[in-house]
Amino acid sequence: MTPRTDADELTERPRIPLSRRRVLRAAVELADRDGLASLTMRRLAQEVGAEAMSLYHHVANKEAVFDGVVEVILEEIMAAVDEVQAPSPEEDWQAALRARILAAREVFLRHRWAPRVLETRTTTSPAVIAYYDHVVAILRAGGFSFDLAHRALHVLGSRALGFTQELFRPDGARTANAEAAAMMEQMADRFPNIVGMLADAVHDDPDGTLGFCDDQFEFEFALDLILEGLERRRAAGS
Amino acid sequence: MTPRTDADELTERPRIPLSRRRVLRAAVELADRDGLASLTMRRLAQEVGAEAMSLYHHVANKEAVFDGVVEVILEEIMAAVDEVQAPSPEEDWQAALRARILAAREVFLRHRWAPRVLETRTTTSPAVIAYYDHVVAILRAGGFSFDLAHRALHVLGSRALGFTQELFRPDGARTANAEAAAMMEQMADRFPNIVGMLADAVHDDPDGTLGFCDDQFEFEFALDLILEGLERRRAAGS
DNA sequence: ACCTGAACACCGTTCAAGT
DNA sequence: ACCTGAACACCGTTCAAGT
């Protein structure tokens, strides 16, 4: 290459030495900006101004990058949850847990690719365990036995962290209403119940500004149903 | 290559012509046997005794293979669900839906990689819509408004199909009990609540033969809690 | 119509060599 | 100690050529 000149020194941003921390932060930023598929070792190296091979001095391999990225997200969630204003768990465990879960959810709304990564982790990270430890603490303060708290974690699953994998996802860009209506008419005989349901939903929302499903509303509906079911079992002393 | 001989004709299995159907079935078998990571175009081609490029005459690309694989699994689920012995939905919608969901779950237990594929599909396949249409039919027969049926689908999410992504998964091979105990002692100060919970669970199951979590039990506990919550809202007429 | 070989533009990762 | 270039063994996919 050509020798470095003073001009280069000025235009180049100063070389911050590589570190695990810096690599992981860059990975999150890259996924935020260009999507999870863009998170390759080569692109990540480019992002931090190094060669792909340099990354291996700070992370063992690509799996370790995914593990680390989950760590970073979990820290963001922990910080968000700590700042929540809510009744103490002793006073009202449902309100306390609900508020924290909704705060965690906001983090995932900022990193929509993150659930997909979290669900591929086979070894549960200490950061995830720490989060669930916090959830169990709230349940215990609310009067749960360890046994019921354990079952509660399974019932909540990823919802405790603030996300659920939506099975009915909009096809890429949200399907236009006109297009949706045409599709519904075409499907009416094959899927009479779904079509009836969709027709009803559109009727309830004549402007159609909200689209078919209000994610936040559905998430809270499910969360409340689950928290109520758990409270009933707790009160029954199971 | 060498010219074909009569011996070749006998040892070679007769060449069944390639077809979309045959490709997709082979894809499911390959994932069952060697895991989802092994499902590459090149290995799939090998599986059906052809070159990778030949596949492209029957499927558009790899995404289409995943779409097709979901189709095959959904057909298997539909067949399993159709054979279920259960009360009619008019009589007892909870029992009717519960039995069908548990039947669907058995299909996913045979294809443990399938949830991961299903959750990456961005365009909801007709097969999935058909399944959910069936679920809505049961809810309607049980007295649900379209609006509540819609919310029920969101609450159930993938559980309606018989699976949930387990966030606490055993690390590869199920962690040995001795190892688990050692880890717990080490974690006691950092995660007091989780450790307490685990200690309690082990106490309930002194032999430890079941391991920490009984997946089937947890799945049914969550399912029942959710179905009860939905029934309460239906009875309240929301 | 259906299949194929060679080639292209990517991957993650190893290794030996640089400073 | 930290970084790198070349190389290896893979990917999915295009294209022109075969039958």
Side-chain angles (χ1 to χ4, degrees), chain A residues 3 14-15 37 44 46-47 58 62 77 83 88 101 106 110-111 125 167 180 191 193 195 214 224-226 231:
Chain A
R15 270 231 185 188
L44 180 52
Q46 200 176 306
E47 209 71 12
H58 302 98
K62 195 176 180 183
I77 287 172
E83 277 180 14
S88 78
I101 288 176
E106 281 177 30
R110 288 200 292 271
H111 309 286
S125 78
L167 238 50
F191 313 123
N193 302 288
V195 168
D214 179 344
D224 290 339
L225 188 150
I226 286 168
E231 169 60 14

Side-chain angles (χ1 to χ4, degrees), chain A residues 4-15:
Chain A
R4 289 169 58 93
T5 67
D6 287 351
D8 285 334
E9 297 227 15
L10 286 173
T11 46
E12 262 176 27
R13 64 175 122 169
R15 270 231 185 188

Side-chain angles (χ1 to χ4, degrees), chain B residues 154-171:
Chain B
H154 278 284
V155 172
L156 287 165
S158 66
R159 216 179 303 255
L161 276 157
F163 72 90
T164 48
Q165 206 77 8
E166 286 291 335
L167 236 49
F168 285 113
R169 230 163 313 171
D171 297 342

